[in-house]
Amino acid sequence: LLADERNFRTSIGESQGEYVATLLPQRKNMRRLFKCIVLHFRKQDATVWKVELIERNDDRTTIELTHIRVNETISANQFAVH
């Protein structure tokens, strides 16, 4: 996603404890919805912990991820279709 130059123009910055990637949509259908998408990465493991979706009218949806677990074993039963 960060290297997807066709769909997003990306700038990456750094602040205390995190890296911040700002994605500017390049496709018309995405530009109609979002001014930008901001991804916040923890420095210690480069895991996304917050996503901000900023709309054209400056409304903002913020998603914060907590209790992140990486590469845990998942039982096949979790994928059963009922």
Side-chain angles (χ1 to χ4, degrees):
L1 184 63
L2 297 180
D4 183 0
E5 295 176 2
R6 185 171 174 203
N7 293 305
F8 297 98
R9 191 171 72 228
T10 304
S11 63
I12 299 176
E14 183 177 354
S15 67
Q16 188 173 351
E18 69 178 5
Y19 298 108
V20 179
T22 302
L23 291 76
L24 301 173
Q26 298 300 297
R27 292 191 178 256
K28 187 183 287 187
N29 61 341
M30 284 291 287
R31 282 196 320 259
R32 271 189 254 131
L33 295 172
F34 300 109
K35 182 185 291 185
C36 66
I37 299 168
V38 182
L39 304 175
H40 297 259
F41 296 84
R42 297 186 305 202
K43 279 187 178 178
Q44 69 260 27
D45 60 6
T47 301
V48 173
W49 72 274
K50 181 164 66 170
V51 179
E52 296 178 272
L53 306 169
I54 302 165
E55 298 177 28
R56 300 295 321 157
N57 63 359
D58 287 326
D59 281 352
R60 177 182 309 246
T61 299
T62 302
I63 302 166
E64 290 189 20
L65 306 171
T66 59
H67 308 293
I68 298 169
R69 297 181 295 193
V70 179
N71 295 329
E72 285 197 355
T73 302
I74 300 174
S75 167
N77 295 336
Q78 295 291 331
F79 299 98
V81 179
H82 304 280

